[in-house]
Amino acid sequence: MYAEVIVDVAAYPIDRPFDYSVPVSFRALIESGSRVKVPFGNRQVLGFVTALKSETDVPAEKQKSIGELLDIEPVLTREMLALTKWMKRHTLCYEIDALQVMLPSALRAKYEKVLRIVNKNAELPPSIQALFQQKESVELKADESNEVLSTIKRLVKEDILSLETAVKQKTAVKKVRMVQVNADSTHLNTVYDNISNQAKKQKDVVKWMLDHAGTRIVSTDLLKLLNITNAVLQEVIKKGAATFEMEEVYRDPYANRTIDISSKLALTNEQQVALSEILHAYDAHEAKTFLLHGITGSGKTEVYLQAIERAILDGKEAIVLVPEISLTPQMTNRFKERFGAHVAVLHSGLSTGEKYDEWRKIKRGEVKVVVGARSAIFAPFQNIGLIILDEEHEATYKQDDTPRYHARDIAIWRSEYYHCPVILGSATPSLESYARAKKGNYGLLTLAERPKKQALPEVSIIDMREQLKNGNRSMFSLELAEAIQIRLDKQEQMVLFLNRRGHSSFVLCRDCGTVVECKNCDISMTYHRHQERIKCHYCGEESQVPTLCPQCNSEHIRFFGTGTQKVQEELARLFPAARVLRMDVDTTRKKGAHEQLLQQFGEGKADILLGTQMIAKGLDFPNITLVGVLSADTTLHLADFRAAEKTFQLLTQVSGRAGRHDKEGKVIVQTYTPEHYAIQFAQNHDFVPFYNQEMMNRKQYAYPPFTYVVLIQFTHEDVLMTAEYAHKAANWLRENLSDTTDIIGPSASSISRVQNRYRYQCLIKYKQEPTLPEVLQQLTRMYRTDWMKKGLLMSIDLNPSSIM
Ligand code: ADP
Ligand code: ZN
Ligand code: ZN
């Protein structure tokens, strides 16, 4: 018997399965999707079995055999193995990268196999008893005989034993010490009688045990309950009244929270229509994708919840993706509130151990719903009934590192595998998705009203150029300042939003206009006020703020631009009584900080929530009646064809934070380009007119969704080499792709140097290019076998979320 194994070495010539012979001892157990340890070159590496077969082309003298089988239950299903092949072809990644991305990091780390008795009443065969030698759990060694291993496999299937891959390091399966009281009361009586009357405490304990023969209780709980010391308990245990046992528990990030169970709401007509269309496809086992386009606060989440409820009732599972889960605790809680312990939460804020525990709950089918960020799309469910992507337009669904997959594509792939619907939800759908819905490729569902008919907030656009002309040099327009004062007087809350993407506070010479740039990267250094230092956000370089201009020696060098800290200071000056909470990368570094800040705000402990992008979504507080956008323009000027779309989305999302409940909301948007259509349409929350206008522009310049785009980036320490290879690649692509395909560039990237590496890029724009995967694969091959050795790095990003 032979196994095809993908080994944990990401390099071109190795990106294929290698044949290994399967030792007799593993034959009954090994399956596709199991992890193995195999010799590779002169070392041992982790590998994944992707197929089993009875013959190999490898000559006998060259054959190597599998060193160790790490899983009795494969960690990857057949579905996942098939998905890997698809990812390899469509994202041009190494197969090993695709395999690894599906697993929690704990399974990529160190491991040991632990065998445990689950059912204590079952009679174990002698060979297995010998293994345990009275113990409750043992490490399973690789050298057990085939017979023993088959027996173990059977007993695991029968739930008599459990076999876990326990992770060494800190992230091991978490255990608590339990006291298992002897079930035999005659025996307990004897123990009781043998304890001398002086040892009163011990007698008390055994007396309690007599009343609770056979009980199992957490050791520390028992100490508390009986008010005894550990020493007393130890004595009693020594005498045989009970035993200590370690029991596996899950780390529960939600343990200390009480969550009320919510019941389902009576749907509005629009919600009802949407739900029944989804359930219709669900009942028909149709792999249909729906775009649920609903204005902010229109009750999309309630539709998700009720659709999921149906899947759960049928014993099926649901995956819910949210853009960045630590930013949206309110959203997560709504799933917990509805489905309680059926919900697992996967997000980047969890420790490796917590993630591993959630993953195991999913794999074992102990939960039915997963709520998580991008990588949760790989949740190892095996009976999926529904997949949901909330805020489907968000760029975070695309992984910008290899494997460069989009969660939406994986969702649709899995829905085809399970014949179940996908729901893409958004108030501001991506142009691609809306275009597909209009063409009928997706089902279009619309929620045009809020459930209680609350009006969308009124949006005022303030022209900041006028403010300046009238002598107002503050970052607050008169209108915004006045609106803030009114809310403070009425004790209502507000959100101030600073759009900082592609924009930061930099140090500028007022005399010659020099901006202090990083010496490794062609990008301005960011000013950090609290440390009085400047830092490069690309390479980490940092230094003192210069006191003299490096160019002209002027002393008039100081920082420029607006950071949240600066806004906070300005607020303190203008509204000394206002209580301000600041939420940005600096104040949310600590685990759970987002949630804490939001909770404080929800409890009314602050008047103003001031923040960056991270406060744009998910916030839902009844007392927010004002949203202020300090400068709408910064995303507009990105060198990216999605700049207008991103601006429109951001403005619409932040506006949606105001007036979601009974109180009316108002939005004030400050801008230097009030005439821009993205800002104009956002003022009226007009997605469809925005879509039409933006589609005209995209059509004119042949950008997606009218074409597909591939971004290829080249970096090298030598600028000439960078340009040379970029040209080589572009020319090669021109020769090998059809005439209707555009190859734009190569040209220097908009950030033309990072960490001393020069950056060039070229863009492929195509409508139809059936051989593209093969052509790109061939390019990749040239790169991996030759160019890479010359120090070039090349990356290929299909459907990039940004082309900067
Ligand atoms: P979205 O996800 O579209 O932004 P939500 O699902 O958060 O909207 O709904 C906004 C508010 O409306 C929430 O407070 C929610 O509880 C409430 N809501 C949703 N559906 C209904 C309904 N059918 N009846 C009453 N209230 C509803
Ligand atoms: Zn100067
Ligand atoms: Zn730098």
Side-chain angles (χ1 to χ4, degrees), residues 265-268 271 295 297-302 334 451 620 660-661:
L265 303 171
L267 297 181
T268 64
Q271 285 173 319
I295 60 169
S298 58
K300 294 184 287 295
T301 312
E302 188 62 31
R334 286 174 67 183
D620 187 4
R660 292 169 70 89
H661 297 262

Side-chain angles (χ1 to χ4, degrees), residues 518-521 523 525 536-541 755:
C518 172
K519 61 179 199 281
N520 308 320
C521 316
I523 190 145
M525 302 280 276
C536 171
H537 283 185
Y538 282 82
C539 75
E541 173 77 23
Q755 287 186 302

Side-chain angles (χ1 to χ4, degrees), residues 498-754:
L498 189 63
N499 185 358
R500 276 168 47 102
R501 193 171 289 169
H503 173 278
S504 55
S505 11
F506 44 91
V507 174
L508 171 104
C509 170
R510 301 232 154 175
D511 284 332
C512 76
T514 294
V515 170
V516 179
E517 291 191 340
C518 172
K519 61 179 199 281
N520 308 320
C521 316
D522 283 336
I523 190 145
S524 50
M525 302 280 276
T526 301
Y527 176 69
H528 283 247
R529 189 177 190 75
H530 49 296
Q531 297 153 314
E532 272 295 316
R533 287 177 83 76
I534 47 178
K535 293 183 188 173
C536 171
H537 283 185
Y538 282 82
C539 75
E541 173 77 23
E542 61 171 281
S543 64
Q544 296 287 323
V545 180
T547 48
L548 293 178
C549 170
Q551 205 63 38
C552 74
N553 274 331
S554 158
E555 289 173 11
H556 297 134
I557 184 157
R558 48 162 298 193
F559 89 95
F560 193 84
T562 310
T564 41
Q565 253 179 319
K566 177 111 186 286
V567 181
Q568 191 173 18
E569 285 163 18
E570 184 81 355
L571 280 170
R573 200 174 60 77
L574 294 173
F575 311 102
R579 297 166 303 160
V580 180
L581 271 185
R582 182 160 65 96
M583 199 159 152
D584 58 19
V585 282
D586 290 327
T587 62
T588 54
R589 244 182 269 281
K590 259 181 39 203
K591 192 180 161 189
H594 291 109
E595 222 182 332
Q596 257 171 26
L597 286 172
L598 290 180
Q599 193 178 346
Q600 283 174 27
F601 191 64
E603 289 166 356
K605 291 185 179 146
D607 308 302
I608 300 177
L609 180 65
L610 165 66
T612 49
Q613 264 76 4
M614 61 176 72
I615 61 172
K617 16 178 194 278
L619 284 188
D620 187 4
F621 294 116
N623 202 29
I624 300 177
T625 60
L626 174 67
V627 169
V629 178
L630 291 168
S631 72
D633 314 77
T634 40
T635 38
L636 263 187
H637 306 305
L638 296 176
D640 194 308
F641 68 86
R642 290 199 180 88
E645 184 182 358
K646 283 176 181 165
T647 306
F648 178 84
Q649 286 165 350
L650 208 57
L651 291 179
T652 308
Q653 295 292 339
V654 274
S655 301
R657 301 308 115 213
R660 292 169 70 89
H661 297 262
D662 301 333
K663 291 181 186 161
E664 215 171 279
K666 176 160 181 68
V667 179
I668 295 181
V669 175
Q670 305 187 150
T671 170
Y672 289 90
T673 43
E675 62 283 352
H676 195 285
Y677 65 94
I679 292 173
Q680 290 287 328
F681 288 126
Q683 176 170 28
N684 300 318
H685 316 276
D686 270 345
F687 174 77
V688 175
F690 169 77
Y691 168 83
N692 290 331
Q693 168 85 47
E694 181 66 7
M695 285 294 272
M696 276 175 9
N697 294 355
R698 299 281 179 94
K699 187 167 185 180
Q700 185 177 355
Y701 298 103
Y703 274 121
F706 293 96
T707 52
Y708 296 97
V709 168
V710 180
L711 177 69
I712 309 185
Q713 269 183 323
F714 309 85
T715 77
H716 196 284
E717 286 176 2
D718 181 317
V719 66
L720 292 177
M721 290 281 269
T722 321
E724 185 190 325
Y725 281 106
H727 277 104
K728 235 187 223 175
N731 290 338
W732 189 84
L733 286 168
R734 285 194 180 99
E735 278 164 28
N736 287 279
L737 291 172
S738 57
D739 293 342
T740 53
T741 294
D742 267 345
I743 317 286
I744 302 170
S747 58
S749 304
S750 61
I751 298 164
S752 58
R753 192 170 52 126
V754 170

